[in-house]
Amino acid sequence: MNAARKLRPRKAAGRTRGAKRAVVSSGGMAPPVIQPNMLVANADMASSTLTRVRHDHSVISETRYLNCLFSESNFEGSSFQGCGFDGCVVENASLRGVELRNCDVEGLVIDGINVGELLKQLTGR
């Protein structure tokens, strides 16, 4: 494992004897929690920023993203089932080949166009 990313336990003042806390050494970043080819189920993520995350070819099920920002992230070939994206923003992304089925698109805006309202007018629903 790269020394800059190696986790090592460190004693903290006021902790019970034997209690340890993992700290990332050398100011490095911890390994990503979200990776390609993952199964994510029943997760909740709120007010988070996901920038340049590779989450391609993953299955995401019954997961709620609330007020999150997805920026320059890759979800190519991923499947989202029973997920919520209320209040989220997706920017600088490719949505080629995306298919939305049985989704509540009320308030869905793409490049300033309220697509949810357009669909309501077209379908009468």
Side-chain angles (χ1 to χ4, degrees):
M1 180 180 253
N2 185 336
R5 296 178 80 169
K6 187 174 182 180
L7 296 178
R8 62 180 171 182
R10 181 176 82 184
K11 279 188 170 180
R15 290 187 182 248
T16 332
R17 184 177 178 168
K20 296 180 180 179
R21 178 176 71 164
V23 177
V24 179
S25 63
S26 304
M29 294 178 58
V33 174
I34 299 174
Q35 303 175 42
N37 302 309
M38 286 185 69
L39 168 62
V40 179
N42 302 314
D44 282 323
M45 186 173 295
S47 302
S48 298
T49 299
L50 289 88
T51 302
R52 294 185 201 102
V53 172
R54 288 199 56 221
H55 203 15
D56 46 311
H57 305 285
S58 296
V59 175
I60 300 93
S61 176
E62 303 297 328
T63 295
R64 183 180 69 133
Y65 299 94
L66 179 64
N67 300 320
C68 293
L69 170 64
F70 296 90
S71 179
E72 302 174 35
S73 295
N74 182 358
F75 291 94
E76 178 185 355
S78 292
S79 162
F80 292 88
Q81 302 152 353
C83 295
F85 293 91
D86 295 342
C88 291
V89 174
V90 178
E91 64 181 20
N92 302 318
S94 169
L95 299 176
R96 292 179 283 166
V98 171
E99 183 178 338
L100 302 176
R101 292 180 283 203
N102 301 319
C103 294
D104 177 0
V105 293
E106 182 179 334
L108 174 64
V109 176
I110 299 175
D111 287 334
I113 299 168
N114 191 326
V115 176
E117 191 61 36
L118 284 176
L119 287 172
K120 188 186 293 185
Q121 291 173 7
L122 289 171
T123 62
R125 294 188 256 168

